[in-house]
Amino acid sequence: MRETTLTLPVLSLIAGTRAMLGAGVALLLGGRLPAREKKAVGWTLLLIGALTTIPLAAQALSRSRRVEGGSRE
């Protein structure tokens, strides 16, 4: 079993980047904006969300540690 400890600011950044990624996908799939604007905003949010998630995930994974004898619930 692995245990990871994250600070509130890091957890907030991870949540924010995932929200941007989701918003970008939603704009690309939605139909409320004109096609040109939808593509520009959607791809921008998707790329920012994806690119900023990678270093944050690497940071979170580097903070994880193996826990011996963990209980299963």
Side-chain angles (χ1 to χ4, degrees), residues 6-73:
L6 299 174
T7 63
L8 188 57
V10 171
L11 186 60
S12 298
L13 281 171
I14 292 170
T17 59
R18 303 302 291 168
M20 284 195 302
L21 185 89
V25 170
L27 280 171
L28 289 171
L29 297 177
R32 293 199 175 243
L33 290 176
R36 186 173 182 195
E37 291 176 18
K38 179 174 68 168
K39 278 187 174 182
V41 175
W43 279 112
T44 300
L45 286 173
L46 186 132
L47 289 174
I48 290 172
L51 291 176
T52 55
T53 296
I54 294 167
L56 289 171
Q59 181 184 12
L61 291 175
S62 72
R63 292 183 180 198
S64 68
R65 62 186 178 99
R66 187 170 174 85
V67 177
E68 295 296 325
S71 64
R72 291 189 160 197
E73 294 180 27

